[in-house]
Amino acid sequence: MKRKLIAAVGVAAMMTGIAACGGDSNENASKDPKDRTESLTVWLMVDAQSTWPELVKDVNAQFKKKYPKVKVNVQYQQWADKAKKLDTALGGDKFPDVVELGNTETMQYILNGALAEIDPKKYDNSDTWIKGLKDTCTFEGKQFCVPYYAGARVAIYNKDMFKKGTGSDVLPETEDELLAALDKVSAEYTKKDKRFSSLYLPGRYWYAAMSYVAAYGGSIAEYDEGAKEWKGNLSSPESLKGIEHFVNLVEKYNKADQTKDEQDHANVMANEKAALIYGNGWEAGSVVDGANNGNPKLEGKIAPAGMPGPEGKALPSFIGGSDLAVTAKSKVADLGEEWVSLFTSEKSQEVLASKNILPNNEKQLEPLKSKPETAAVANAVPDAWFTPIAPGWTSIEKEEVLENMLLEILKGTSAADAAKKADAKINELINK
């Protein structure tokens, strides 16, 4: 989901390639499955290779049983360069038939005509797909991808630090109680380290800032039915309350560089420079993962919990996750659809759930809401928010509008003035 969206490089070439190849029919689709001899190329992110390789192996075995002569070529990709590689591939003649996309990436490819339309009825539990994922696959009433798994942001905290500062290793359930606890933790740990942050909340962390905006009923942008266009909504009273609340927390509790983003906040916690961060559920594991700059000595001391928000309610989370799509250029689209169907079946989703990965549907999500290891993140999913489902909200440039707004406020510009400026820029960009 990933933080950086689609690179502009290769879009024109991609569209040219799709226009030239679109509409190809697959004459082999009518053959007996045992006589099919094509190849199917699947791009999955490296998460599947490292965390649920047995699922990939099992699905390929199921697929091979029906299509013994079809070669399935699973290629694992890294988030850092996947978008650029995909744009280049779709502009050429060696492209994946099935591709995994972060849910913030899908709209760009839908609008570019890069994804084939799918029939939800072919997929298990499609009637209870998590709305935040389904929406990112939907445009003008048509579905172009299949939800794969979900994610949400939660509080991740050091139990020992809270115990030492407050006498309890349980994260408070209300924000008022949490802030009182943070004050005590700060008093305890800043005696030795003035750069210690009881709450490490970076100033450019727009996902977190917009969670506070959502908590007060605000939003990044709203659709104006009368004008038939999207309009920036950051300067509304509700949004301003959330922005100011976020900035106040940053200024009070983040004793490190307040102008950074959240990309290294798990490492900050691993280095014992923070007692609490607001991150993706899986980042609790990153904090203690020695292979990825984590601190194994903190094993058992780092825990996820629901993040308390303003006015006695939980803080709304950004809905994250991945989707799977069949590319429009694929000449074996029917095989791609069947592979995705197997990979997102109820049986397959159960494998993900067993590893504390949130499944793509409410039915299988429900048991995880009461499981200690997943309760915090699972309960954050149903009421999560998402960026505007607008054709124009697809570029890095729009993320930068939010980051720049937050930086301006931290440097002294009033929230109202910075939000008005951001709204004007959003209006300029979002309706392109």
Side-chain angles (χ1 to χ4, degrees), residues 314-364:
L315 185 66
S317 173
F318 174 83
I319 180 72
S322 276
D323 303 311
L324 293 165
V326 176
T327 57
K329 291 181 70 173
S330 174
K331 296 180 180 179
V332 289
D334 65 315
L335 296 180
E337 289 175 1
E338 190 151 357
W339 191 92
V340 172
S341 179
L342 290 171
F343 199 63
T344 58
S345 69
E346 183 162 343
K347 177 184 175 183
S348 294
Q349 291 289 302
E350 193 58 41
V351 173
L352 297 184
S354 72
K355 295 178 177 291
N356 297 331
I357 304 299
L358 302 189
N360 65 5
N361 64 90
E362 294 278 3
K363 174 185 173 183
Q364 291 177 283

Side-chain angles (χ1 to χ4, degrees), residues 217-222 231-236 238-240 423 426:
S219 60
I220 297 170
E222 294 289 331
K231 293 183 178 179
N233 192 48
L234 294 168
S235 58
S236 70
E238 296 82 4
S239 295
L240 279 174
D423 278 345
I426 287 172

Side-chain angles (χ1 to χ4, degrees), residues 142 178 243 311 373:
K142 297 179 180 179
L178 174 62
I243 293 168
E311 302 181 341
E373 299 89 341

Side-chain angles (χ1 to χ4, degrees), residues 157-189 191 196 198-199 253 275-276:
Y157 72 106
N158 186 309
K159 293 190 293 184
D160 280 5
M161 288 181 175
F162 270 79
K163 181 81 177 279
K164 187 174 181 179
T166 69
S168 173
D169 65 358
V170 177
L171 196 76
E173 294 185 0
T174 69
E175 189 180 59
D176 287 345
E177 293 170 334
L178 174 62
L179 299 185
L182 291 174
D183 291 339
K184 292 178 181 179
V185 174
S186 291
E188 179 66 35
Y189 284 89
K191 294 174 184 176
F196 176 84
S198 55
L199 168 61
Y253 294 107
L276 171 65

Side-chain angles (χ1 to χ4, degrees), residues 175-341:
E175 189 180 59
D176 287 345
E177 293 170 334
L178 174 62
L179 299 185
L182 291 174
D183 291 339
K184 292 178 181 179
V185 174
S186 291
E188 179 66 35
Y189 284 89
T190 53
K191 294 174 184 176
K192 295 182 180 180
D193 185 357
K194 298 298 182 184
R195 303 283 285 174
F196 176 84
S197 303
S198 55
L199 168 61
Y200 182 73
L201 197 59
R204 285 170 49 214
Y205 191 0
W206 70 267
Y207 286 107
M210 294 305 107
S211 284
Y212 286 96
V213 166
Y216 283 102
S219 60
I220 297 170
E222 294 289 331
Y223 188 71
D224 186 328
E225 287 288 352
K228 300 300 181 185
E229 65 179 8
W230 287 83
K231 293 183 178 179
N233 192 48
L234 294 168
S235 58
S236 70
E238 296 82 4
S239 295
L240 279 174
K241 283 184 180 179
I243 293 168
E244 291 170 345
H245 192 114
F246 168 80
V247 172
N248 289 339
L249 291 175
V250 172
E251 292 180 331
K252 182 173 183 180
Y253 294 107
N254 183 355
K255 304 303 180 181
D257 184 350
Q258 296 178 347
T259 67
K260 295 180 70 173
D261 62 31
E262 78 283 8
Q263 293 301 295
D264 70 343
H265 65 178
N267 288 335
V268 172
M269 175 167 270
N271 289 324
E272 300 183 74
K273 298 291 186 179
L276 171 65
I277 62 174
Y278 179 59
N280 293 291
W282 51 264
E283 288 183 286
S286 298
V287 174
V288 300
D289 184 0
N292 290 292
N293 299 316
N295 185 353
K297 293 180 181 179
L298 295 179
E299 187 74 47
K301 299 179 181 181
I302 305 301
M307 184 70 170
E311 302 181 341
K313 299 178 182 178
L315 185 66
S317 173
F318 174 83
I319 180 72
S322 276
D323 303 311
L324 293 165
V326 176
T327 57
K329 291 181 70 173
S330 174
K331 296 180 180 179
V332 289
D334 65 315
L335 296 180
E337 289 175 1
E338 190 151 357
W339 191 92
V340 172
S341 179

